[in-house]
Amino acid sequence: MSGEERSYRALAVVLGARPLGEADRIVRMLTREFGKLDAVAKGARRPKSRIGGRLEIAGRVEMMLHRGRSLDVIVSAEERSQRWTALVEPERFAVASLALERVDVLCEPGEPVPEIFDLLDSTLEAVAKSERPHRFIARYSLRLLDLLGSMPPAERCCLCSDMLEDRSWLDASEGGILDAKCRRPHREEIALDPEDRANFAALGRERGAGAAVEARPQAAAAIEALIAHYCARPLRVSALPGYAYGPV
Ligand SMILES: [Zn+2]
């Protein structure tokens, strides 16, 4: 293999990092070209490390990487969008951490979906500028499920495919919305009226005509229930052992 083939470029958003040895870090990132991957930043924990200073969480970074035997190594990093200063504000930080964690938990390594990179990148950009960053959570989460092929239809019962009428219920364990015939009442179901369902559909729509950002409370609750179901557990920031969604 030539030197050329062993190096590659990637546009990345830094998801988080953990220490390796005395001075290195393993940086987890979502790249536009190669999906989620871990790579070593050598010497990144030394106070004056040039590379360490450019790998701040949630930043958009253009990387040069070198293929290693087990983990690839970050050769250089150029920051393309620095968001850390804006994201230290607690509410923004909480929303950004949640956005990073959901991508980390739901995306498999090495399966690139450029649209997911763009969704994460544009959401972080918006969160860093927003006075009400929580408003982005519902739309971000549902767009993520849609891009992963797991967004349920908002017009039809997910079990019998009949058109939904007046009343319906989100049942996360079924992965979708049920009509009165198919519904098996239980505590976790979330009632959705036609306006909630229209809002749900608009939140999941690609940017453009008919897309919504503001979520009605029941639609937001339905999206959170689906996310918890697909993550197999309620998501909590920093829930992964030994892993920090914080300053790299
Ligand atoms: Zn049905």
Side-chain angles (χ1 to χ4, degrees), residues 21-239:
E22 279 189 11
D24 303 344
R25 282 193 195 285
I26 295 178
V27 178
R28 179 161 293 178
M29 58 188 106
L30 185 75
T31 69
R32 198 167 195 281
E33 300 84 350
F34 307 97
K36 187 174 82 174
L37 61 88
D38 287 350
V40 178
K42 290 200 167 155
R45 277 154 64 220
R46 293 204 180 96
K48 290 188 176 170
S49 162
R50 275 165 59 91
I51 222 165
R54 291 171 183 177
L55 296 173
E56 285 174 335
I57 189 174
R60 187 201 309 138
V61 186
E62 200 170 316
M63 305 251 189
M64 174 72 89
L65 296 112
H66 193 76
R67 290 190 205 286
R69 226 170 275 160
S70 55
L71 284 170
D72 293 356
V73 175
I74 300 169
V75 180
S76 68
E78 294 298 330
E79 215 160 21
R80 295 294 177 230
S81 177
Q82 198 268 23
R83 301 167 178 136
W84 181 246
T85 320
L87 290 176
V88 290
E89 191 276 320
E91 197 183 342
R92 289 180 188 158
F93 181 72
V95 174
S97 301
L98 178 147
L100 297 168
E101 186 187 30
R102 287 181 178 185
V103 156
D104 191 6
V105 173
L106 292 170
C107 294
E108 294 295 324
E111 290 181 9
V113 182
E115 293 83 358
I116 292 182
F117 177 90
D118 296 341
L119 173 70
L120 176 64
D121 189 48
S122 62
T123 301
L124 291 170
E125 200 70 28
V127 166
K129 291 177 184 146
S130 179
E131 298 306 314
R132 287 198 306 125
H134 275 90
R135 68 198 284 265
F136 297 111
I137 294 175
R139 176 172 170 77
Y140 168 78
S141 302
L142 193 56
R143 289 293 306 134
L144 183 57
L145 289 181
D146 184 38
L147 291 167
L148 292 165
S150 297
M151 176 180 157
E155 313 80 35
R156 291 179 180 276
C157 172
C158 76
L159 290 183
C160 70
S161 295
D162 283 357
M163 289 299 284
L164 294 168
E165 290 173 5
D166 207 25
R167 301 195 312 149
S168 65
W169 295 266
L170 185 283
D171 186 332
S173 62
E174 298 287 358
I177 302 171
L178 306 179
D179 56 13
K181 291 194 300 296
C182 299
R183 168 200 185 202
R184 282 168 295 128
H186 61 84
R187 263 185 301 167
E188 277 89 36
E189 66 178 4
I190 293 157
L192 298 173
D193 67 22
E195 282 186 73
D196 295 326
R197 290 200 304 270
N199 180 233
F200 182 92
L203 288 165
R205 211 161 279 150
E206 277 183 70
R207 225 187 279 198
V213 175
E214 300 296 334
R216 293 165 64 88
Q218 290 299 93
I223 294 165
E224 282 303 296
L226 284 168
I227 285 279
H229 171 69
Y230 284 112
C231 294
R233 59 180 166 74
L235 271 176
R236 272 188 299 273
V237 167
S238 302

